[in-house]
Amino acid sequence: MRFGVVVFPGSNCDHDAWHAVTHNLGQPAEFIWHDSSSLNGVDAVILPGGFSYGDYLRCGAIAKFSPVMKAVKDFAAEGGLVLGICNGFQVLVESGLLPGALLRNRDLKFVCKQVPLRVETTNTPFTSLAKPGQILNMPVAHGEGCYFADEATLRKLKSEDRVVFRYAENPNGSLDDIAGICNERRNVMGMMPHPERASDALLGSADGLVVLQSMLHTLVLSGAEREKVAVLPNPTSIHA
C-alpha cells in the first residue's frame, strides 16, 4: 500500500512521517509537493507537522490554497484515508475537511513533551487495531494546539462518536480534552500529537504505530473486498 506525504514549504515532520511508514510500517511512501495537482494514485495521504508557509497568517490558513489540497479534498470525497498531524490537523480544519479551530495554547507557550492519550473510539480506520480506553504515549510540539468549537459542534462530535483521542493530561487547554477528531465519513482524521514520532521504541514510545497499522489494516481489507467483488460473476451472464 502506497502512502503519500504532502510537503508544504515549512513542513518539518515530512521525513519523520516518511520514515515511520517506510521503516517502521514497512510500506512504500512518496513525497507529494504542495503545488502538485495529483496524488499519484497513492492509497493514503498524510499531512505532516511543521509550519506550512511559515504560519504567518494563521496556522494552515495559507496551505489550504495549495493546489495539492484540491486533490486531497477530492481524494477524501472518494473515501480515501487522510491523516493530518499537528500542522496537518490545522490545515484540515482551515480547509473545511474537519470542524472547529486550533487556537493558541492556554498558557500562550509552545509545549513540547510526551503526553498520554486515551483512545475514545476504535470505530475509525485510524484506531481499528487499538482498544477502547487504551492509553497511548505520544509527543506533542505546538504553540497553537488548543482545540476549540462551539457547543453545537462539540455535542455533534460527541454524539456521533467522532472524538478519536482525548488528552489524559491536557497540555494546551483544548475543549473537552480533545486531541483528535474525525469527519462524518470517518476517513479523515486530524490529531495534534505526533504518532510518527512514537513509532519506534528507540524514540521512547512505539504507541503511535497503532495509528499507522490501523490504516494499513483498513487498506488491506478494503483492497481484498475490491478484489472479491472484481471476481464475482456478472449476474447478466448467469442463466437459470
Side-chain angles (χ1 to χ4, degrees), residues 16 19-20 24 194-201 203 205-209 212:
D16 303 61
H19 182 90
N24 301 115
H194 288 264
E196 82 286 6
R197 295 185 182 179
S199 59
D200 192 310
L203 299 175
S205 172
D207 290 353
L209 197 55
L212 298 177

Side-chain angles (χ1 to χ4, degrees), residues 123-139:
N123 184 26
T124 78
F126 310 94
T127 54
S128 59
L129 297 182
K131 297 177 181 178
Q134 182 177 355
I135 298 298
L136 304 174
N137 290 297
M138 300 185 205

Side-chain angles (χ1 to χ4, degrees), residues 101-136:
L102 281 310
L103 309 180
R104 292 288 301 275
N105 293 345
R106 172 180 50 204
D107 297 330
L108 304 182
K109 295 179 180 179
F110 188 89
V111 57
C112 182
K113 64 179 181 179
Q114 197 94 333
V115 299
L117 306 176
R118 185 172 62 251
V119 177
E120 296 296 324
T121 180
T122 58
N123 184 26
T124 78
F126 310 94
T127 54
S128 59
L129 297 182
K131 297 177 181 178
Q134 182 177 355
I135 298 298
L136 304 174

Side-chain angles (χ1 to χ4, degrees), residues 29-64:
E30 62 183 79
F31 295 114
I32 301 174
W33 192 232
H34 69 108
D35 64 355
S36 174
S37 59
S38 169
L39 298 180
N40 302 326
V42 298
D43 299 294
V45 174
I46 297 176
L47 303 183
F51 303 90
S52 56
Y53 295 92
D55 284 340
Y56 290 118
L57 176 60
R58 189 174 62 247
C59 295
I62 301 177
K64 72 177 181 180

Side-chain angles (χ1 to χ4, degrees), residues 10 23 25-27 31 35 60 87 93 100 106-107 125 127 130 141 164 167 173-174 191 201 211 231 237:
H23 291 260
L25 192 63
Q27 299 298 309
F31 295 114
D35 64 355
N87 188 232
V93 167
R106 172 180 50 204
D107 297 330
T127 54
V164 184
Y167 295 110
S174 288
M191 58 187 298
V211 174
V231 299
S237 68

Side-chain angles (χ1 to χ4, degrees), residues 26 28 54 110 124 136 147 159-160 165 182 238:
F110 188 89
T124 78
L136 304 174
Y147 183 77
S159 66
E160 295 179 354
F165 296 110
C182 66
I238 300 176

